Amino acid sequence: MNLYEHRIATAEAQQMAKVTDMVRQDIVKSGIKEGIAVVYSPHTTAGFTINENADPDVVHDMLYGLEEAFPTRTGYYRHMEGNSHAHIKTSFAGPSQTLIVHEGELVLGIWQDLYFCEFDGPRNRKFYVKIVEG
């Protein structure tokens, strides 16, 4: 079936966790050499992005920039749960990413990794990886 479920525990209110190796392991398990890997978060306050892996300050700066653009606290939000910022940030990042699988490997740039983006933590989350041959 090539559908894999992962659980991830986030420790911070907002964080980005590398999950590239989890997806790589799923590709190995699937045995698929050519196709795509789709990663998907079923949460409205967590998503995915692909970005630089070499300098951890990039993750810090991305979270800082998102907080500046969509602040956690403001008098304008109406959602009673108080996490409107997380919904907006997730819509901005997106709930999924599609990656190319070639010769049994993810096609990523040398400085790229896949990140699970938590915007309403800490929480116990799950995400799915679907490997499609083609």
Side-chain angles (χ1 to χ4, degrees), residues 18 20 24 50-54 99 107-115:
K18 287 183 192 179
T20 314
R24 285 186 172 124
I50 296 170
N51 216 297
E52 182 176 328
N53 61 17
L99 301 107
V107 176
L108 287 170
I110 191 168
W111 306 115
Q112 290 183 318
D113 262 312
L114 174 67
Y115 292 88

Side-chain angles (χ1 to χ4, degrees), residues 18-94:
K18 287 183 192 179
V19 295
T20 314
D21 288 340
M22 294 177 177
V23 177
R24 285 186 172 124
Q25 291 170 4
D26 295 340
I27 292 168
V28 171
K29 285 186 232 173
S30 76
I32 291 176
K33 299 297 182 194
E34 299 293 332
I36 58 170
V38 178
V39 293
Y40 171 72
S41 167
H43 307 288
T44 60
T45 56
F48 288 97
T49 193
I50 296 170
N51 216 297
E52 182 176 328
N53 61 17
D55 183 348
D57 286 338
V58 171
V59 167
H60 171 273
D61 294 349
M62 288 184 62
L63 291 171
Y64 176 81
L66 287 168
E67 183 63 23
E68 285 290 302
F70 313 111
T72 301
R73 301 279 177 238
T74 178
Y76 298 111
Y77 297 146
R78 294 184 179 180
H79 183 49
M80 67 179 197
E81 290 181 6
N83 62 355
S84 291
H85 69 96
H87 291 280
I88 297 167
K89 290 169 186 168
T90 299
S91 291
F92 185 79

